Amino acid sequence: MAGLAESGSNPDVDLLYDINGLAKNAPHWFDRGMEFVGEYGLLLAMVLLVLWCWWTVRRRGDENAAPSVAALVWAPLAAGVAVLVNVPIRGFVERPRPFVDHQGLDVLVGGKTDFSFVSDHATLTMAIGVGLFVANRRFGLVGIGIALLEGFCRVYMGVHYPTDVIGGFALGTAVALLLSPLAMALLTPVMKAVEHSPRAGWLIRARSVGRAGQEALIPGARVERPEEPDLAA
């Protein structure tokens, strides 16, 4: 597998040079921005997207709130599982980083001494993006878009081959989708139990939304109560 990276006529290598070559012609400040975005920024954006989706789900507070939150919880868990699965894959393939075998690359971030296949960043972001898609298609499409941008950034930065990124996308998608039924079967009852908890129920539904489709008690709000029958009549 490491031999895939050795031939300069390999389309994988050609595409690496084409994408990374953009960094050589870009201003220094742009490369520094891409370094931050590709290393940290898009991961942070994905976390914020998950939190935004959770906030939207709990404020809507319909009968599907618990399963939706369970799917949201699965998204980062899927990313963690996918990265763990990648550990033996990296050890088995043992593909060096592109800059080890190829000269003339503009490497924007240093200290990368581990193996290249598959990309952890691509795996993480795509697993979360697909997990989000299971919970909410609109947010999921945004998440998948962020994952694609992350993959581009990793090649632009000179730390991964395009096939490293594609492999990460495939791994993250496979883990998020294939294990989703089992994850939902385990997480949904837990989220339903949290939903009915007096103290933690706000994590699933906003306090202003009742569990039976009626408004819950809001501090300071005036509540109309039905008149009690006059027992003396």
Side-chain angles (χ1 to χ4, degrees):
M1 292 294 292
L4 291 175
E6 294 173 358
S7 172
S9 62
N10 191 304
D12 192 23
V13 178
D14 293 340
L15 188 57
L16 164 68
Y17 275 106
D18 288 341
I19 296 176
N20 180 255
L22 299 174
K24 294 184 177 181
N25 300 321
H28 178 75
W29 62 266
F30 184 83
D31 283 349
R32 296 286 73 80
M34 288 292 285
E35 176 187 348
F36 174 79
V37 168
E39 194 74 7
Y40 308 107
L42 292 175
L43 292 176
L44 177 60
M46 194 68 81
V47 171
L48 294 177
L49 184 65
V50 172
L51 292 175
W52 185 12
C53 186
W54 163 74
W55 184 261
T56 301
V57 168
R58 69 176 289 274
R59 281 183 62 86
R60 187 174 64 231
D62 58 21
E63 65 277 3
N64 294 320
S68 296
V69 174
L72 286 175
V73 172
W74 168 238
L77 290 178
V81 172
V83 170
L84 290 177
V85 172
N86 189 29
V87 172
I89 294 176
R90 279 194 169 193
F92 175 75
V93 178
E94 294 186 346
R95 188 187 208 184
R97 294 279 181 170
F99 51 80
V100 175
D101 291 331
H102 302 283
Q103 302 298 319
L105 293 174
D106 191 2
V107 182
L108 301 186
V109 59
K112 301 294 183 180
T113 58
D114 55 344
F115 294 120
S116 185
F117 186 88
V118 296
S119 167
D120 277 339
H121 281 72
T123 302
L124 277 168
T125 51
M126 186 57 75
I128 296 176
V130 173
L132 269 175
F133 188 80
V134 173
N136 184 292
R137 290 188 178 182
R138 179 165 57 92
F139 282 93
L141 289 174
V142 175
I144 291 173
I146 292 176
L148 294 175
L149 181 57
E150 178 69 79
F152 175 83
C153 288
R154 302 307 288 177
V155 181
Y156 181 96
M157 294 162 62
V159 294
H160 280 294
Y161 295 97
T163 48
D164 297 338
V165 169
I166 294 172
F169 290 163
L171 177 59
T173 299
V175 169
L177 289 182
L178 294 179
L179 297 183
S180 178
L182 175 61
M184 292 298 293
L186 296 175
L187 291 172
T188 300
V190 175
M191 295 303 107
K192 288 184 177 179
V194 173
E195 180 183 9
H196 291 86
S197 169
R199 294 186 177 182
W202 64 272
L203 291 169
I204 311 299
R205 291 174 184 258
R207 290 298 189 185
S208 60
V209 180
R211 296 187 182 90
Q214 299 177 347
E215 291 188 357
L217 297 180
I218 303 175
R222 183 171 178 269
V223 180
E224 298 291 339
R225 300 183 182 275
E227 295 184 0
E228 296 183 359
D230 187 354
L231 299 180

